[in-house]
Amino acid sequence: MNGAPAAGRGAVRTGYGVRPRYAVAAVVAAAVCGLAAGRFVLPPPPGSAHPAAAAPAHGRTTTGSGPGSPEPATGPMTTADLLGPAAFGAVGITAPIHTRDRFGDGVYANAACAGEKTLGQTLGGPGAHFRGLMTGTRADPDDPTVAVDHADQVAREVAAAAQTPALAQNFAQRLLLEEVPCQTAPPGHWVYGRTMTLDLAPGVSASWMGSYQGSLNTAGTAPGGAEPCGGIAVLRSGSHYAVLEVDACLGADAMSRIVRTALSQL
């Protein structure tokens, strides 16, 4: 991603660079106090200025409980709880998308910020469901959820069930805080944008960060007024939790829709 050419919304990235392993404890500590602050600002209509420059560092949108709101998940995870190809077709990806599933342990989504650890190393929990969504059919022989050609990777989701909703919330918070250091990076390196939080119902919430290529990072943080190109989300519904990395180059509106769909299904 570092220094890669810009891709259009709805396209699949044509490549991304190596993401260094760095994490600053002070940034993580500050994030604990700031994740819930601010309010969510919807993306503007086409042709108008994007609100990122004027919006607070963290945003939140709340749907609230009521008829039609999802119920917090209980019981074991199944592949039916994972995001499917149709969700990406709904945001403009027209290429056929193949899914590859496995169960076990492994690196999760963008683990570079966490030092390329596995989910088991981070949380010490049991195995998780891994799903790769890709436009090609060639998968890594060591992990079939990862495309051999990175340009084919649309998204990858890692999801599991905790013993209790409180433990799932703890896991989700820890996984999110591991990504927060990537909101700052040396100019010229890819960077995550501000944390956006989506609350669909009590116990059903997600936080996501858009991804910005290195050519847009001129000051060490995500640029104001620019659309992201995919990103990462941490989701929690009842006792289920998940990490979703979107490699397809989706803007803020499409990312919000994808995260909402994944959270509703989790």
Side-chain angles (χ1 to χ4, degrees), residues 210-228:
S211 183
Y212 295 82
Q213 63 182 1
S215 61
L216 296 176
N217 174 12
T218 60
T221 58
E227 286 283 339

Side-chain angles (χ1 to χ4, degrees), residues 9-13 82-99 131-135 152-158 229-233 235 243-251 253-263 265:
R9 293 182 67 179
V12 177
R13 279 197 201 117
L82 301 178
L83 196 64
F88 291 93
V91 295
I93 295 180
T94 57
I97 296 176
H98 310 276
T99 60
R131 168 167 289 178
L133 299 102
M134 56 193 78
T135 56
D152 292 339
Q153 195 84 37
V154 175
R156 189 165 178 261
E157 185 175 6
V158 181
C229 184
I232 193 167
L235 310 94
V243 180
L244 171 68
E245 185 177 37
V246 177
D247 294 286
C249 193
L250 302 182
D253 183 44
M255 276 294 298
S256 181
R257 290 176 63 184
I258 286 291
V259 172
R260 179 181 291 271
T261 300
L263 181 58
Q265 193 158 315

